[in-house]
Structures are given as C-alpha cells and as structure tokens.
Amino acid sequence: MLIFEQSKSQRANPSQAPLQEAGIDSIPAQFRRRRRPLLPEVSEMQAVRHFTRLSQKNFSIDTHFYPLGSCTMKYNPRASNTLAMLPGFLQRHPHSPDNLSQGFMACMFDLQEILKDVTGMTAVSLAPMAGAQGEFAGIAMIRAYHDAREDTARTEILAPDAAHGTNPATATMCNYKVKEIPTDAQGDVDIDALKAAVGPQTAGIMLTNPSTLGVFERRIKDIAEIVHSAGGLLYYDGANLNAILGKVKPGDMGFDVIHMNLHKTFSTPHGGGGPGAGPVGVSPRLEPFLPVPLVVKNDDEYSWLKEKDRPQTIGRLSTFMGNAGVLLRAYVYARLLGREGMHRVADFATLNANYMLARLRKAGFEAAFPERLATHEFIITLKRQAKELGVNTMDFAKRLLDYGFHAPTTYFPLLVAECLLIEPTETEAKEDIDAFIEAMIKIQHEAESDPEKVKSAPHSLPVRRLDDVKAAKDMDLRWTVSE
Amino acid sequence: MLIFEQSKSQRANPSQAPLQEAGIDSIPAQFRRRRRPLLPEVSEMQAVRHFTRLSQKNFSIDTHFYPLGSCTMKYNPRASNTLAMLPGFLQRHPHSPDNLSQGFMACMFDLQEILKDVTGMTAVSLAPMAGAQGEFAGIAMIRAYHDAREDTARTEILAPDAAHGTNPATATMCNYKVKEIPTDAQGDVDIDALKAAVGPQTAGIMLTNPSTLGVFERRIKDIAEIVHSAGGLLYYDGANLNAILGKVKPGDMGFDVIHMNLHKTFSTPHGGGGPGAGPVGVSPRLEPFLPVPLVVKNDDEYSWLKEKDRPQTIGRLSTFMGNAGVLLRAYVYARLLGREGMHRVADFATLNANYMLARLRKAGFEAAFPERLATHEFIITLKRQAKELGVNTMDFAKRLLDYGFHAPTTYFPLLVAECLLIEPTETEAKEDIDAFIEAMIKIQHEAESDPEKVKSAPHSLPVRRLDDVKAAKDMDLRWTVSE
Amino acid sequence: MPFIPHTDDDVKTMLDAIGANSIEDLFAEIPAELRSEGLDSIPDGVNEMDISRLMRERADQDSRSLCFAGAGAYEHHIPAAVWELTTRGEFYTAYTPYQAEASQGTLQLLYEYQSMMASLTGMDVSNASLYDGASALAEAVLMAVRANRKSKSKRILTPRTVHPDYRRVANTIVHNQGIVLDELDFDRQQGVIDPASLPDDPGDVTALIIPQPNYFGALEDVDVLTDWAHAHGALVIAVVNPVSLAILTPPGEWGDSGADIVCGDGQPLGAPLSSGGPYFGFMCCRKAFVRQMPGRIIGRTTDLDGKSGYTLTLQAREQHIRRSKATSNICTNQGLLVTAATIYMSLLGAQGLERVALACHANTMKLLAALDETDGVTKLFDRPLFHEAVVQFDLPVADVMRALSVQGIIGGVSLADDYPELGNSILICATETKTDADIETYTASLKRIAMRLTANRCPVQPKM
Amino acid sequence: MPFIPHTDDDVKTMLDAIGANSIEDLFAEIPAELRSEGLDSIPDGVNEMDISRLMRERADQDSRSLCFAGAGAYEHHIPAAVWELTTRGEFYTAYTPYQAEASQGTLQLLYEYQSMMASLTGMDVSNASLYDGASALAEAVLMAVRANRKSKSKRILTPRTVHPDYRRVANTIVHNQGIVLDELDFDRQQGVIDPASLPDDPGDVTALIIPQPNYFGALEDVDVLTDWAHAHGALVIAVVNPVSLAILTPPGEWGDSGADIVCGDGQPLGAPLSSGGPYFGFMCCRKAFVRQMPGRIIGRTTDLDGKSGYTLTLQAREQHIRRSKATSNICTNQGLLVTAATIYMSLLGAQGLERVALACHANTMKLLAALDETDGVTKLFDRPLFHEAVVQFDLPVADVMRALSVQGIIGGVSLADDYPELGNSILICATETKTDADIETYTASLKRIAMRLTANRCPVQPKM
Ligand SMILES: Cc1ncc(COP(=O)(O)O)c(C=O)c1O
Ligand SMILES: Cc1ncc(COP(=O)(O)O)c(C=O)c1O
C-alpha cells in the first residue's frame, strides 16, 4: 500500500509542525499557491509503520550477503554513522566561520592526508560527491591542463571497452570524444590497439586497475608510457581500489589523477543509491586545477582555500564542500583500520574472491578468464547454461534471491557474455561464502532438473519477477489522486 | 541459526576491545577464571546481521496493530527515545553531584508534578521500576501505615477475582493473605460479597478501574466507603489509566495510593518485555512512607530526598533512582501531549474500543458484558465458537497473526471463558481497526468452513504453532557446546 | 582483525582450495616494481572507543551556535523519526536497487518521493535525485540544451539573483560543452529581475533560469518572466526551495504554461545542515521531456502474478546503458537523503509543511524588522520575500560577523565578495527554529558590538 | 491531534456505528460527581521542536564530566551497534513475547542471552532479567528461603562488604516476610570478610551472600566462604559484576560445589550510566532450583513441523498463572537492556570482554598508585581487587568532592555515610575508558585542591 493510500485530508501531525500562528499577508496573492500539494496526511505512527515495513522489503548489507561486483558491498561500521551524526557535526552550517569549525576541519584535513598516502598522489580534493563526479573533476582537470598549455588539439579520451558507463559518459560531459580500446583474451588492454589509437588528439585514458573484468592490468607501466609519450594523461577510476589498498599506489603506476569511491573502499553506506563521495587525487602537474574548496593547515589552524586562492581551479562542484557527512564516515573508518588494517583489506578481499572462484570452478562453473588470478572480484560466464539449458544469468541472479543472497552484478561488463561479476569483499566470513557457493550449485542442479523454477524466480520475495518492459511503456512514474 | 553457531574460536573484534596491553599478575591465580566463557566470537557484521534479522521476526507497534488488552500498545514517539538518549543524559553517573545534575533533576521534578495532577494525588515517587514494583511499594506503604498506627491485626488484602496476577502476588510479597471478591454479572464488584469480606483484618483492597474486564467500576464510591469504614485503604492499579486520563482522577474516587504504568499510559516502549516505570502516587496520609529517592525544588535548585530525610520511608527499591531513562521518555511524551492531549487520550481510546465492540457485535461476536459500554478495552467471548466449531480463542489469536495483526490478550481475565481482551488504543486509525474487524469476520468464516486451517494457524510466520508442553518438559534453557 | 572474520584455519583451508601457499601469492600478477612499501603517514588503527572520544571532542569543539545563516542551507526542525528510520540498516546499507524484487522497500519509497515532488512543484514527473541543488541546476542546463531542439545558441540567461555558488557550479560543469551562462542583472531597489529590463528581442536563448525565492530571499515576477521566456522560444528552468512551495505558486503554474524544468536543493526537507552535505538535488519536468532527464527514475509495473511492484525504468537514458550518449554521467545519487525527505514530507503533510513555511516567513519578517530598527542596520530591498532578506551595516561586515561569531552567533552570510555593489550587506534567515528570544539575543549582541566597534573606530580584533 | 489519526469524519462514522451522539456519551457510566475538572498544573502541549530544544538545553546543562565513580554503575565503551540495533522498532516497541510465533526475534535473543549468562556465571540456567542488581539480590534472598527447605530460620548472612544500597533494597523487599538480613563485618585491613572470623556453629542459616568483587572492589575468599556456608546447610547467593567474570572464577566454580544462586546488575554489559537506570538484574542458578526462580524463562521447543522455536516456559512459576503463590510478582522486566547486553556480549566475545576486564583492572591499579603517591591520600586496603578501590583523604571528603566537581571531575563516591569508621574515604574506579592523561588530570586537580583547602583551613566554599 502506498503512503498516499493511508492519507486522509484532515489528518495532521501537530507535534511536528510549528505551533506559532503565522499569517501570509505580507506575500501578495499573485505569488501564493492556490491548491495544497498532494502530500500524504498520515499520523506519525502510520508513517513510522509504513517506512519500517518498507525497509523490511530490502536486501542490504545488514541483512544479506551482497556480492555485487564493482560495488564493494562491505560492512559499514555503525560507529561511522553514530560519530558522523554527533550534534556538533550535524548542526554545523556550511557558512560557519572557521573559529567555530576547527574540529570538523581537522577531520577533513586528516582525511585528505590519508587519501594522499593510499593513492600515492600529492594533493587531494574532497569535493566530488560521487565517483562519477570525481571522474568529471578528473577529466575536467585534464582538459584544464591541456588548455593551460594551449595544447588544444586533444579531443579524445581513450577507455577500454570494458570500462564502466560513467567513464565514457564523463568524457562526453567534458566534450571529449571517446575511443574504445579492445581487451585481449586474457583481459588485459590490447596494447597494439592502444598504440594504434594514441596520437596528438589523445587527451588521456581512463582506466580501472584492477579492471572491471576482475583482473589486474599487468602492463600498466607500458600503457602509462604509451599514453604519456603521446602527451596524454592517465585517469584512474578508483572504484576497484579495495583490491589494492596498501599493495600498489595508483601514483606509482603512473596515473596523473584518480578518484576514489569512499562509498566502496572506505565503507560509507550506499544508502539505497547514495550518497557517496568521490575525492580526487592528483600528481603535481594537475594540482593547480583541483576543485575547490580544500582544507589547509597553518600553525595548527585550519582554513579553506576557495576560488580566489586557487585561480586555476576547475571550480566548484557543489554549493558547499561536497558530501561532508560521508567524508566524516570515511574518516572514522580509515582511523579504525589504520595502516595495518588497510593492508588487510586487499589481502582478504582477494582471498575471498579467489577462494570463491576456485570453488565455483571446481563445481563446474566457467571463469571468464580461467588463466588469471582473481583480484577482489571475478567473472563467471553462464553462456553454456544459457545455451544448453535456456537458463540465463538473470535467472540465476533472481533465483539467488530466493536463497537469501543478493545477486552479483549481471551483464556487466557487456564484453563477457552472460556474465556474473562477483565481489565478496573482505568482511564476509568463509561460512557465508560457502553457503553462496552451495546455493549456486543447487541452482545449477535446478537449472538441469527443473529449469522453469529458475526461470520464474524469485518465488519468495515481496513480488515475483517484475515486468520492466511494461514499466518503460506505461511510464507510471507517480501516484495521482484519480486512482 | 543461533549466534553461537556462527562463532569461531579465533575470531575477534579488536575494534571493540581495548587495545591496551594489561596484565593480570596483581590478581592471584586462586581468583582467576580457568576457562573462557562460551560467548560467541563473531565479526561485527555477523552480529549486526544476526540481530537485524532477528528483529525482523518480531511483531511490534512499529510494524503491526497490536491490540493487546491491558497492555496499552500505543505509538511510542521516536522523539522520546532520541531525547532521552542525548549524551548529557546517558552519561550522567547516578552519583553525579547535584551541581552537575540540575537539568536531569528538573525533568524528574516536572514529571512528579504532572503525575500528581493526573492522578489527583498529593505526592509521587518515581522510584518503582515497573507496575508490579509500584504495587509492591503501594502495599508496603499500606502495611507501613497500619504498622505506624500499631494497627497490626490487618492481615488481608482484598482483590476482585478478575484482578491481574501481579495484585495477589504482590500482596503475598508483603506477607498479606489475599481474599478474592467475586464479580457480578455486569462486571462490577459484588458489593454484598465485599461487605461480607471486609473487617478488622482488612488492610486494604487492590482495584483497577476501569477493571480488567474492560468496564468502569460504577460503585467505586461505595467500595471506597465500605473499605475505608473498615479501616482499610484503597490501592489503585493504574494499568488502565489510559481509559480515564483527564476524565477522572483516582484520588477523587477515594484511592489512597496508585501506581502508574508509564510504559502503558505514558507511552514508553515495552522493549520486548521492559523496562517500564511504575511511579506511585499517594494521598497525604501515606506520604511519609513513599519510597526514596524523591526530587524537591528549593529556590530553583533541585535536590534529592533520601533515607535520612525521610525516616518513615518504606525504603529504597533500586540501587539508584529507578528507571531514569524511562522516566525521561515519559516526561517528553507528557509534554508533547500537554493538558489537552491528555484529555484526548481517553476520548479516542474509548471511541476506538466502543467502535470495535459495536462492529464486532454487529458481525455476530459475543460481548462478555453486552449491556456495558466499553472503556478503552473490552472482552469478546468465543465460547460459542469453541463449543460449536471446536475453534477456540487461542486458534483465533494465532490465525490473526497470519492476517498481520498481533493477537489481543487471550484467556485473561480467567473469569470469562474463551475470552479475548481487546485494546486498540487511541493511536490506531479507523482503517486499521476496520481491517482487524474484517480479519475477525474472515476467521469466523474459516472457522465454519475450514476449521483445521484456523486450528493449525499460524501458517505464515517464521515458525508454526509451538509446542509449549515440550518446552516445559525438555527445559532446554540454554545452548551448550555439545550440540 | 577489525571487520575481518577470518580465523587462521579459515585462511589455511581457503588457500588450500585455491592451491596457493600464501595470500601474498594471490598478488603475483602485480608487477613487483609497483608494489608499495607502506602507508607511512597513516596512523595505527585505533579502536571504536578511541575514535569515539576523538570525534566527540572535535564535534564539541564546533559546538552549537545560534545560526541566522541560510544561503542555501537551512536549519529546520527534523522529526526524530526521520533519521531513526532512515538509518535503519535495510535502507542505510542497501545498494542502488538494481535487483528490483529485492529492493521493493527503497523502490516504493522512491516512487512515493517522485509523486510528492511532482505534486509539490506542479510538474508531471520527478527523478530520484541528483547530487545537490547546484549540480542539479547544471544538469537542468544540460537538459535544456538537449530538450530545446529549436535553439542552437546554447545560451542560458542566468540572473544574478541565482545563488552565486549555483552559478559557479553550473559553469564548472557546463562550460566545457560550449554552453554560455549569460548574466542578467537585478534591480537595486527590489532585489529581483526587473521584467521591464528584459530585451524585446533577446535573440536565440536556449533557456532562462528563474530562481524563486531568489538568492536574496525575494520573490521574482515568475509569471511575467516565464511568459517572456516562452514567447522567445526559451525554456524555463525554475530553481526553487521545496519548503517555500508549500505556500508559493508551484513552477508548474507559472505564467501561462508553467516552467519546463524545475530543480533545487532538497536539504530543507529533512537533511541536517551537516557542513553542507550530503543534501540532494531534485529535478522535475514536463512529461514530454522525461527522456532527456538525468538520473534514476522509478516506475510502477506488475509482476508475473499481476501484482504491483516498482523498478528502475527508462534506463536507456543512463550511463550504464547509453554510455557516451547518456543524459548524464551520474550513477550513485543521494538516495538516503531522499529517504529522509520522503519520511519528512510524510510526517509533515501538506498542512505541516505549510505551517513550517509560514513560520519561517514570519520569523524572518520579525528578524528583519528587529534589525531594521537597530541603529546602523538597514533593510536593503523592498520586495515580498520568503525566509531570507538582505540587510546592510554601517560598519565593516567582516568585523561585525567575526565579533558575533565569538559570541556563538552566526549572523548571516556576507555578500561582500559576491555583490560588492551592495556594500556591507549580509543575507539573513530565521527559520521556524528561531524564537523571539533568539532574535532578541541577536539584536542585543549586535547593538553591543556596534557600540564597541564604533567606539574603537574599527577595524578592531574582538577579544577572544 | 498529536498521535491521534482521527478525522472529524472518522469520529462521526464511528459514533454512528456505536449509536452514540458524542464521545462524551461513551463515558456515561462514570458517575458524574467523579468527573474531574481539568489538569490545571499540566502545561499546554508543545511540539517536538520545542521539547527537543528544552531537553537539549537540560542535557547540556549536565554536561560531560570526567567520572571516576563506580559503586554499582560503570562507564564502559558501548559499541555504536549496540543501541542502533536495540532501538530498532521491532525490538523497542514489542511487548513481552506472549505470542511466541510473532516474537521469535526477541525470544531467540533471550535464549541466547540465557546461554551467555549461564556460561559467564558457570551456572546451569539463567532467567530473562529482573529489574536491577539490588532487586535481583532481594529476589535471590526470597528464592533462597523457598529453595532451602531444610532451613526454617529465614536468616540470611549479609556481609557489610555487599553494596549498602543492595542491602537496603533487599531489606525493603524481604523484611515484610520476616526475613532477617544478619550483618557480617569485614576486616579493616583487608576490606573483605575474614573467613577466620566466621563462627564454627552459626546456627540455622538460610543463605550466605557473597559479593565478588565486593563493594570496595576487593576480592573475597569465595572458595572458603562457599564451603563454609554449604558445610552449615546454608545456600550461597553470589553477587557479581558480569564483566569481572571474564577474568574471575565464575560462582559456579566457587569452593567444592559452587554458588547456588548468582545475581547482579547487568549494567556493565552495554547499558549507559543513564542516571542509574534502566539497567537490569540478572539471575542464574542450579537447574535443581529452576522452579523457584522468579522472572521469565525462555525455552527451546519445536513447532508443528518439528522446526526449532523459542517460547516462554515454566510459566507456572509466574504471577499470571500462579497468582498469590507465584515465585515473584514481577511481570514487566528489563527486556530491552537484555537485548543490548546480548548484542554487547556478541560484539565483544569472550576475548574482548576479557580485555575490557583487564583494562579496567589495570587502569584502576594505575589510578590507585597515582593517588597513593599524592600527598594527603592513602590507599586503604591491602587486597587484590578488580576495578574499584578505597582511598582516604586527610581532608574532609565532602569538600574535596565538591571542589573536584566544580572542575567537572567526579572523583569517586564518598563512603562517609555508609562506613563512617573509614573516615574521609572514597570509592574510586577507572574503567577501560580512562586514559593515563585522565588519571593525570585527576591527580593534578586533587593536588591543587588539597593545597587550597589546606591553606584555607577548610571547610571552604570553592568559587564557582
Ligand atoms: C568501475 C566504476 N567506475 C565508476 C563508478 C561510478 O561511481 P559512482 O556510482 O560513485 O558515481 C562505479 C560505480 O558503480 C564503478 O563500478
Ligand atoms: C492490570 C495490570 N496490573 C498490573 C500490571 C503489571 O505491570 P508491570 O508489567 O509493569 O509490572 C499489568 C501489566 O500487564 C496489568 O495489566
């Protein structure tokens, strides 16, 4: 039932509205709303009950194993939430003067320092509000860099064909053309194709390493060499940073700019779609272009650098300073992990992924790159099942829900047919991984003995399989009173 | 799965334990534990997931209509929780000196004043930690009163046969014998029987009004008269105060002492069994005996009265001052309601109950007291269904769970055969009440057409009907490693 | 190990299953010369007790202040239920609802949100959020360029009464694509765009941005402006405060045919000030433009049994399908804030939100009057307003603001940098959270400070 | 109306269905002369915003202090997850699990709790909570009287090393039944009961109470005491701190055959100080005595399909079944605190709890040493201790404590009222939350105060 269907027009919640009697006479009629908006009029309890019940219809990290590849669904420490929501932080107005902000600014400064170290970059801006905005900032900096050098013929951004959709979309937002570079059979960038593609028109290349194929790009040094010698810069999509935290620094691989998804690697919650935070780190040559604001420390006092202090900045990405509350959560997490903890993240994320891969292969599942080690994630292809049994990746995914597991990422990267991109993360216990593998094996048996059961899954969720085609056709995008 | 079954002996949560290395040498071996206790060793995420999932197996006010008679399951405002858990309140040590406690003490003082007014009593102690402890305090005060007057022959407490079990149990704890007074056909105390029962041995009577039968005791003045003239005192069990808040004050009915269940009338949460708070209010003659501590205000400064300030007190009921956090919640609720809000509680609780009763009767259900108005609750008897269809109250109750409603109170008071004691409370909307009534009607149809379905209910919960006999026989009261 | 559940036995069994000797072996494909030596500047891990203590100390340091600043971030009462529900693990720790059947909670909530926002703005459809108000404006500009097929100029008329930082952000994001944000000046007496100053023949204009209330809190002549834009083939992008819409004409009803795209910051709907974020950007539009919208959109559909359910829809607009041709690069949005906003609006209802808006308006009027009566302070514009206003000091604004802050009062936001022509002016705001006593505290402090500063012949450093 | 969802239409329809003209009519059975006029001293209702402001002001007023007080309430680190989970609506707003099938969450959790407590105390069974430690001791005394069928005396030997307020509460609750709490004195050097002082022929003793650690933080000779009690036909009631049990011998292993009943306050397991409550009382016992236990007990059983499930059991002990013959009048207990404790113990584990206990012990030893080195302060007892100790001042204890409190330090709990024979003594405690710097702050303040008080020839009122 929708909240609107519980609404009654005279219901009101006076304990939530101001008691003060206030007129509207000082606002002339021409500016005034004539009919009230259709907001639900429910009691406080009705609202609490409605949203509590709705919440129970979700899978989440706090309730389910959620091995969604590329998304790093790891445990989100509750302390990060509690501490980021301390009244002193929640009530700080973004225009609070610096003398009333030193506590908050200390956290931001420390976080900048930590992120510099893990990325091997020389400066960090916390401004971007998610990975894609970090990508935008990065590519905009690359453009600003070329522009500053009056190197204006560079019109193209390169990206592997397996790249995440935000990479080409970002290049377009920065008015670059995107040229896709093919992947070889081992999952590495096709070096010959890359060599053929680079040139004076190359502004840069966007890469994830480990790539979205779940393997480490081994010739990254060669790639850096090729792109740099053509005058292009290297952009690192940090979505997969969890795989290499403390092991390799993107700066050492030759990258000029990186964004991090703090909502992945630094375990801030995904919130059912956001918010995230996508800080960017840069090598010295891009430093002048970093988005503002930045926090600096002089004599134990923190202050902001803004547009006027940073004349070459690509500018501002949000009204204030980005997703401050998310940054606080990431800071708490980073301090809880500490140096050793960061190393362990990559160790155990990688152990879990390789263990899963090994066991799934033993059970007869086909790895997309059987000769490669898994990184923090890996790809299984179900093309044989799809062809021989008519049971495809989506069917496996939906049936996994019945077994109490969120599905891995499906059909991404597009490059691998019928693919399942599986990322267990370091916070899952062996027992849960084993249970997932058992479920996969059971589903495989079902696919053989009772394929309809799998194809019509899920069977035990609040709804059965939904009709996406109808959704797009009907465009029922809002409730209206007529219903 | 039990949390123990997810435990592994080497697992540890270092982020929750002190990092400090601390020895035990200063404690001689003879005092030291030899084997570690069997506490689960799980990761933080495993614990969070386990308890989140467990919580989802509960019915609660925040998820379900919960018309449990005598329990006043009304909406628990979230603000009460948030504000009672402000750091300043949570961190206050019970031995904090008064100069660091004025904010907290102001709340306690204000609450005492509010409770005095709603009960019509002249003094209130917040000490008792639940209704039953309030009863204990009340009866102990009655004993202290008689003792102080050296009126020591009074050995009996009277209570109606419909009284809640805590009433006779409390009398026993205070070393009184309990004499039950029968109820007449209209649900009132049998006045003749009462007259016959009182005498010089009568210490007092314990009454709820409205009674646990869901009707108002109309001859309360006569009862007071009878008991008082015999030298006994009147104890008011405030569990049903919700029915008369702002309408009648127990003090005006002639009661000498009352306990309130703040976890009912003042909407502090029941917490799956507690904590509650059971403040006691008294008329002047019992004032000297009130349990300590009490808060007093002198010249805008608050201070505590303890044993040494109150020589006749029955004493202390808890190590410190009772369930302070619960009292803070009740205070927030009382202030949110305010004077008018209190009046409305009784109005709408009574409206809801009478509406339900009227509609259920129209649908063919039998009221226990068909000639009486309902108070905030009422009784339906299913004795016809039990006899004719073999479907009893418990079956109806279990089947209601399938329909998404918590069951009303069953088989209490024992006096009415196959009874369902139904208390909707004022915070439920007509729509939800209607839905409950529809469910009752459907179950009635099922009982006629498919009784097995009702008798084997519930069918849609985490477990089916549980074997209570086996539970008592096996006495499996703890998990042990052997399993 | 913090957050890692593996025992030594587990590790051994798992390595055996893999056929590896050590975890280190699993990194064999990483070229050795790339391996990093360590994370020298990262401190040792601490436990939750220690980080809690540190964070509490830091939060206490920025202790509560009496805040009369607005300028895009407003201090409202947020019902306790909002964040208690929003931070339930099932909302808080879920991902974007890619598996619809396992995400009906979030999806239905988003559908409800879209319904509320569409109704509040008077538009046909809403998306499921963008990052914040400023970036939503940038996206609206990009969308307008795509949607206004007749216009080729990529020229967006941008009044100076639009929040200066919104304009900056929009410029950061759109300028690379050759889009020009042409400034429109405002009337110095009224603090709004003077419709009479608009050119009769503006040339090819892709869109006109109309803020309501504008940055100064003043109400623009939205009907005239909308009609003017439409008459010249320009789309109208409305930038609005969602709480104000409880009492102000929704953009869908501006002029003869309403605005085309509506955006703004959702912060006033249940998001705490929180140093500026996370907030969320909202965007609504006419149905005709829905395929040009950026961001997630949720649709209602049916399942195999014909039962209603909710799912992400029109995904062909999005980066994961359309890649370089997507309507935006946005992926992660601000879902949790939308959760809070949906709960907030449900708890307030239309009546409650109206009372909030009216109380904000009334309190700002009171504050404005009180300041205007204070010596050395003048109200600047003569125009109906919502809940912000501009006042000018006789004294240097930076000194006044600093002196106030030492007393824990954030007196407003200085306009000195962005509007030097307005002299020593600040933008003030008093929401429903401010009492008469608060206003009195402000003016009393101000009087004392003014006296001191005048006596000292400023500038002077107030004693800390 | 606050919390009431009825519209005028609803009211009308409902009254029609009832056949009444007004809500007032529904109160017709209440005699008119009883009807009250109003609630004059109750203030008007306020909204959530206003009460939030008031409560924040009051909470801030009692602002954070540096607390070295214990005496039954201990400041421990509580993982954030504990209360975030505990206050989930499904735990927070459920009733006692009378309908087992609809309460499996709470019931399974309680079963897990019982298992943890039984193991921690080394006993066979645990109940599901009592009100607090003191009232649990009272119930234990009543239970011992029921359980020790051979004893007729109702005489309970009660050492003065038991928390004085526990003794007071026990007396309040049990004295009406003719039960006598006979005091046992302690050794002035050691601060514990001297086993040598116990009589060879104590007569009919129903039970001996043994606190471990005792009120002074000192460790009693529990083995000797237990065996002595059993040798004389008395039951042993242990009063213990649950955190200490991570390192101290569990009562189930005291002496040759262990304690018979174990009780205490569960506060250290995840309950905040919170002005003294809500905490919870725990109680464990030998299986033989389970039918004498007060309070709820949860048992595991099976459902119609043979699947495991949990339910309230042995209810024949309880007031709602047995009425005047019940083992106790307790009904509502402290369930939510048990929820918190179960989550707390799950997050800490045996290792974690052990580290907490060791850190508390170590910090108190450090504090004690630091104070003992301070001029004018002496450590009083020479005895192994857990995490509390007694020190004596040269100066009047009330003055010292007051002066410390003005500096935000709660230096400990004065023993002046309860143990006048110990002079100017206080009970101190430093849990794992205290750092070396905290201890330094304490001793430094103390030195300054001592200097001032000595100079002024006390008593003196410190300047506020
Ligand atoms: C490889 C990759 N790049 C970029 C992104 C975009 O990050 P965000 O969703 O934070 O904008 C993602 C997120 O799914 C990703 O997996
Ligand atoms: C009528 C009545 N009296 C007394 C009590 C006991 O109150 P408590 O559970 O708070 O001890 C109850 C609680 O159920 C009750 O309904």
Side-chain angles (χ1 to χ4, degrees), chain A residues 219-234:
Chain A
R219 277 164 307 180
I220 181 62
K221 272 291 188 194
D222 300 340
I223 295 172
E225 172 65 30
I226 293 165
V227 175
H228 277 153
S229 15
L233 299 187
L234 275 85

Side-chain angles (χ1 to χ4, degrees), chain D residues 40-84:
Chain D
D40 295 335
S41 67
I42 295 182
D44 284 346
V46 297
N47 63 15
E48 188 180 308
M49 178 173 75
D50 294 335
I51 189 69
S52 300
R53 190 167 170 142
L54 177 73
M55 295 300 277
R56 282 205 200 97
E57 281 165 12
R58 287 183 171 175
D60 284 351
Q61 208 178 328
D62 303 350
S63 63
R64 215 155 284 138
S65 45
L66 185 57
C67 176
F68 294 95
Y74 304 96
E75 187 178 34
H76 289 290
H77 163 66
I78 304 173
V82 171
W83 283 93
E84 291 221 11

